[in-house]
Amino acid sequence: MKYVLKLYITGQTPASIRALENLKRIMAEELSQEYHLEVIDVLEDPVLAEDEKIIATPTLVKSLPPPLARIIGDLSNREKVLLGLDVVSNRKEVRQ
Amino acid sequence: MTQTVHTDGPVKKIVTGIPGFDAISMGGLPKGRTTLVTGTAGSSKTIMAVQFLIHGMQKYDEPGVFVTFEETPIDIRRNVGSFGWNLEQYSNEGRLAFVDGSPEPGQSTVETGNYDFSALLARIESAVKKVGAQRVAIDSVSALFSQFADAGVVRRELFRLAAGLKQMGVTSLLTAERLQEYGDIARFGVEEFVADNVIVLRNVLEQERRRRTIEILKYRGSAHQKGEFPFTISPDGIAILPLSAMELTQKSSNVRISSGNEELDRMCSGGYYRDSVILVSGATGTGKTLMVTTFLDNGSKCGEKTLVFAFEESREQLLRNAIGWSIDFRKWEEKGLLKILCQYPETLGLEDHLLWMKKEIENFGPTRVALDSLSALERVSSVKSFREFVIALTAHLKAKETAGLFTATTVSLMGGTSITETHISSITDSIILLRYVELMGEMRRGITVLKMRGSWHDKAIREFEIDDKGMHIGRAFHAVSGILAGTPTRLVLAEQERMGEMFQRK
């Protein structure tokens, strides 16, 4: 199933940029399949944040595949991001 | 309460509209600032937060934003619906906006790396702009600590939140939980970040009864009443009883009204004052309820509306008693001149009794109110709250220029004072004592006017009898002493003469 992700940020802050970079790198390295990523700037569109009850930014929301999950922070810890996304690491599989 | 902004020193305040709060806070909440409301679970923090917004929208045309971290907006709407607050309607009218930060159950959350609450701030700001909010309520920040793992980050971000709210120029009320009624101000040290103003709500178990109080702990740069004030959750929300804040500004009336007994009127030099509160104290069966009955009957005869709160006897019993003294209460009831309200003292806390009584007095508009008996109410409360209750009720009656007749039951049959009397005698204007007098193997009854503020009164202890026409006051007890002490003794004539001489000789 295709991954559907939403990344909520507030403006182009260092944390926002870092989160986006981290995410793209992790996805490229760990996920072989395609994914859909939408970046939502809460400052520009607070209503979208309202729907998802976003309090903290950056927040990554994985809507598909289920279950719904969210990862809060700049995504600097690869293991935690993978855990949150429920992605089995490619590398680990290779190693095994 | 006609203006929205009070000037009080350097800090302006906005009138909240919460009954009593504006009195104890001397004008309301500090305008443009954040006030922290802390309390244990169930101390009505959420109700206060919602009520702050509701009154703003209802009375002062000040739109509001409600930020919730605990319950969902749907739950809140449902929970406060019982107060007649229709949040949905305000939302539809565009005067109220919710910012929902309630936790999403069943959703896994992982934290990795730095984050802040910029999104929350942006959402609040957008909601404030959308409805043009002047009031913001946030309930409760303590819940944020369970949503986010890093308490340090939450604290830092709350500090930013408070700063952000200040910048938006809104007056905000922020709730936080505490674990003990008397202990740390709030969990997680929240108060350090929004410490300008702190209000504590308490819900203390006192004599097997919950007693709610509110205290303004801190109001930086601004005057306020100090100490705890009792409040109650009425059908219209929180109502604070600012007893100690009450001022003695009652008008006093020189008009006299009849007690319903001519001789007693003479003893009081023409009757009770129109706006006075009279305490009738006596042992059981001395005729207290009879005095209540004639007092009310006389009022109705003059075409006045009278109201009695009975805490010891049922309506039927009162009607039957009255008939026994040739008074037809039913007739007055039918004419709408009399209202009998009965309730068990135990059914409500004193604060709620007071609220109920004030409401009934307000609705019926009587000129005479009787309460039979105060002692029954005293049984269900502490000395302090009982005194506060009597003060508040007395003040309410006086403000309305209503005469009040309260009864109190003495513990012992002979002599003695009632506990009630000791606690409130200074509050009432007049005190009438009814006492049993045991003389020569016979039980007789005596009546005396112990005190009557601002008026001459008969100082003698007079004998009285009760028959099917009511009370008949006769002559003073002669050559008897020690009646009030409960040990009546007949003085021998010679001794009496000697005593007379003693005082004449000087």
Side-chain angles (χ1 to χ4, degrees):
Chain A
M1 193 183 276
K2 192 171 159 183
Y3 273 80
V4 177
L5 306 173
K6 281 184 222 162
L7 181 65
Y8 292 86
I9 54 166
T10 36
Q12 296 299 315
T13 61
S16 307
I17 295 162
R18 213 158 48 232
L20 189 59
E21 280 172 356
N22 285 337
L23 177 65
K24 282 183 171 163
R25 192 175 59 245
I26 294 169
M27 292 309 270
E29 291 171 12
E30 307 284 353
L31 202 70
S32 43
Q33 62 195 114
E34 258 185 83
Y35 64 93
H36 180 265
L37 173 67
E38 189 186 352
V39 179
I40 297 162
D41 189 341
V42 178
L43 295 184
E44 283 168 21
D45 214 338
V47 179
L48 289 177
E50 198 62 52
D51 296 339
E52 203 63 64
K53 302 188 185 180
I54 303 295
I55 293 172
T57 42
T59 290
L60 179 67
V61 175
K62 178 195 71 155
S63 23
L64 282 175
L68 209 67
R70 57 174 71 192
I71 305 165
I72 296 163
D74 61 12
L75 310 177
S76 51
N77 184 317
R78 178 189 297 259
E79 298 302 320
K80 280 193 176 171
V81 175
L82 294 177
L83 186 78
L85 289 177
D86 214 4
V87 174
V88 185
S89 170
N90 281 337
R91 290 182 181 178
K92 274 181 189 165
E93 275 175 335
V94 171
R95 261 183 240 136
Q96 280 163 2
Chain B
M1 279 217 255
T2 41
Q3 344 165 218
T4 353
V5 179
H6 277 251
T7 319
D8 196 312
V11 180
K12 286 185 174 177
K13 291 179 183 168
I14 70 162
V15 174
T16 60
I18 298 172
F21 181 79
D22 300 310
I24 66 163
S25 61
M26 295 183 170
L29 286 179
K31 188 177 161 69
R33 303 197 175 201
T34 302
T35 302
L36 182 72
V37 176
T38 78
T40 52
S43 60
S44 344
K45 297 183 296 290
T46 307
I47 296 174
M48 183 164 177
V50 176
Q51 196 171 354
F52 165 63
L53 296 187
I54 284 285
H55 290 320
M57 295 181 288
Q58 268 177 356
K59 302 182 187 170
Y60 309 109
D61 196 26
E62 295 178 0
V65 167
F66 195 94
V67 185
T68 172
F69 296 124
E70 215 157 11
E71 296 171 283
T72 62
I74 295 169
D75 282 339
I76 289 168
R77 271 187 216 118
R78 199 184 302 135
N79 293 346
V80 304
S82 56
F83 296 114
W85 300 337
N86 191 343
L87 297 184
E88 198 155 14
Q89 185 199 326
Y90 291 114
S91 298
N92 293 341
E93 290 169 6
R95 297 203 280 162
L96 172 70
F98 271 99
V99 172
D100 184 3
S102 60
E104 203 62 74
Q107 192 172 330
S108 78
T109 303
V110 175
E111 287 179 23
T112 158
N114 296 329
Y115 57 89
D116 58 37
F117 291 174
S118 299
L120 175 67
L121 261 173
R123 284 167 66 195
I124 295 176
E125 201 164 359
S126 137
V128 165
K129 272 188 193 142
K130 195 175 105 195
V131 297
Q134 289 167 53
R135 302 184 178 206
V136 174
I138 301 178
D139 182 58
S140 94
V141 295
S142 307
L144 281 175
F145 287 90
S146 54
Q147 283 194 44
F148 294 93
D150 193 337
V153 172
V154 178
R155 272 192 216 110
R156 183 194 72 205
E157 291 306 307
L158 281 181
F159 187 64
R160 271 187 59 207
L161 175 65
L165 289 167
K166 206 169 194 171
Q167 242 170 18
M168 290 175 217
V170 294
T171 305
S172 48
L173 192 154
L174 209 128
T175 71
E177 203 175 274
R178 64 206 299 248
L179 295 174
Q180 292 159 329
E181 295 298 353
Y182 296 91
D184 290 346
I185 293 176
R187 283 177 82 177
F188 310 109
V190 170
E191 75 280 2
E192 289 170 34
F193 303 94
V194 277
D196 278 359
N197 313 293
V198 178
I199 293 170
V200 180
L201 300 179
R202 292 194 179 89
N203 186 17
V204 185
L205 199 58
E206 184 185 281
Q207 298 193 355
E208 297 171 15
R209 215 163 249 294
R210 287 276 165 201
R211 183 164 188 263
R212 297 179 183 279
T213 63
I214 180 169
E215 179 187 8
I216 299 177
L217 201 66
K218 200 167 170 187
Y219 242 37
R220 190 162 287 172
S222 167
H224 63 90
Q225 298 275 343
K226 313 221 165 26
E228 289 182 39
F229 294 87
F231 74 92
T232 175
I233 309 292
S234 76
D236 309 314
I238 286 178
I240 298 160
L241 313 166
L243 303 174
S244 325
M246 232 149 25
E247 287 166 37
L248 288 166
T249 52
Q250 299 106 359
K251 294 173 280 183
S252 71
S253 166
N254 285 321
V255 181
R256 305 263 187 167
I257 56 168
S258 171
S259 65
N261 184 307
E262 278 181 39
E263 197 51 41
L264 180 59
D265 288 348
R266 262 195 289 278
M267 288 176 76
C268 299
S269 99
Y272 308 138
Y273 282 121
R274 158 96 284 162
D275 60 350
S276 68
V277 169
I278 307 111
L279 181 71
V280 176
S281 155
T284 174
T286 42
K288 297 187 300 297
T289 306
L290 168 61
M291 287 198 52
V292 167
T293 308
T294 48
F295 173 69
L296 296 174
D297 178 58
N298 182 272
S300 298
K301 268 185 194 151
C302 303
E304 296 175 25
K305 280 187 174 182
T306 60
L307 176 65
V308 56
F309 296 101
F311 292 99
E312 281 177 340
E313 289 178 295
S314 71
R315 190 175 154 275
E316 290 307 314
Q317 275 172 307
L318 286 172
L319 291 176
R320 200 185 55 207
N321 291 345
I323 286 169
W325 299 311
S326 312
I327 289 170
D328 188 5
F329 264 178
R330 235 178 261 274
K331 179 176 73 189
W332 300 132
E333 271 196 324
E334 280 161 16
K335 287 192 173 170
L337 292 173
L338 170 70
K339 197 166 185 182
I340 300 175
L341 294 165
C342 301
Q343 195 151 50
Y344 277 110
E346 283 79 11
T347 47
L348 297 170
L350 264 197
E351 286 83 13
D352 295 295
H353 273 306
L354 177 62
L355 217 72
W356 167 68
M357 291 166 78
K358 278 168 94 169
K359 205 166 192 171
E360 291 292 347
I361 292 169
E362 205 78 43
N363 291 344
F364 190 61
T367 51
R368 297 184 184 201
V369 171
L371 198 163
D372 192 26
S373 76
L374 267 185
S375 307
L377 285 179
E378 191 180 20
R379 283 200 297 272
V380 300
S381 73
S382 70
V383 174
K384 185 167 176 283
S385 45
F386 180 70
R387 254 189 84 89
E388 288 174 343
F389 165 81
V390 178
I391 293 173
L393 184 62
T394 307
H396 189 73
L397 291 176
K398 283 184 178 288
K400 299 215 162 316
E401 285 202 48
T402 304
L405 187 80
F406 304 162
T407 67
T409 312
T410 48
V411 188
S412 57
L413 275 186
M414 302 284 294
T417 50
S418 67
I419 307 164
T420 313
E421 223 173 283
T422 342
H423 295 151
I424 64 156
S425 55
S426 58
I427 304 164
T428 56
D429 300 299
S430 306
I431 299 178
I432 295 171
L433 302 182
L434 304 176
R435 290 289 184 267
Y436 284 117
V437 185
E438 188 194 343
L439 273 183
M440 324 267 291
E442 243 186 285
M443 224 24 160
R444 290 150 85 170
R445 293 182 174 108
I447 181 171
T448 185
V449 180
L450 191 68
K451 155 180 160 184
M452 202 175 164
R453 208 169 265 166
S455 168
W456 176 91
H457 61 90
D458 192 345
K459 312 288 190 295
I461 303 173
R462 310 267 299 260
E463 178 166 15
F464 72 92
E465 278 167 12
I466 298 173
D467 64 11
D468 61 354
K469 293 275 178 294
M471 179 187 283
H472 303 281
I473 300 175
R475 293 165 48 188
F477 282 97
H478 250 304
V480 181
S481 75
I483 294 175
L484 294 184
T487 52
T489 351
R490 265 192 90 104
L491 301 176
V492 209
L493 211 62
E495 195 184 342
Q496 194 193 352
E497 274 171 2
R498 254 204 332 267
M499 283 189 70
E501 281 171 14
M502 223 161 76
F503 288 106
Q504 275 165 13
R505 232 185 279 148
K506 228 178 186 180

